Amino acid sequence: MVAWIHTVLAEASPDELAEFNIEYQGALEASGNAEREDLRHLVTRWGGTAAMHDSPLTPDEEALVARFRTGEDVGIPWPLADVSHARKI
């Protein structure tokens, strides 16, 4: 996953790649072990950033976000609105 994050950020956002590299190296040095929890969190967080770059919003999604940012009530899609069936953890 780290290689994929690196590849996506190198193409889409060199500034974020530099930030990722600094954070990743720092986490490696702090933990001394690539299996540590802090590294998993870092890779998960940056994986989300890379995914957004790798699969940008569609024009319809961009329009929805723009409407939301102006304060318009855009509603919540039905599957997200009905949580009565959700399992309690």
Side-chain angles (χ1 to χ4, degrees):
M1 180 138 176
V2 172
W4 173 75
I5 293 169
H6 194 274
T7 300
V8 171
L9 293 179
E11 183 177 319
S13 181
D15 290 342
E16 286 181 305
L17 173 60
E19 187 178 341
F20 168 73
N21 285 336
I22 291 167
E23 287 186 32
Y24 186 72
Q25 188 61 41
L28 279 176
E29 291 170 3
S31 71
N33 181 340
E35 296 300 315
R36 298 286 175 129
E37 191 71 18
D38 55 341
L39 279 172
R40 282 194 291 269
H41 287 286
L42 183 132
V43 169
T44 299
R45 182 169 52 86
W46 279 102
T49 299
M52 292 300 293
H53 285 297
D54 202 32
S55 180
L57 296 177
T58 66
D60 286 344
E61 291 167 332
E62 287 178 358
L64 182 66
V65 169
R67 289 176 31 222
F68 173 78
R69 286 185 175 154
T70 65
E72 183 180 336
D73 181 4
V74 296
I76 298 175
W78 168 81
L80 297 176
D82 179 16
V83 295
S84 61
H85 63 283
R87 230 175 26 144
K88 294 196 185 219
I89 298 175

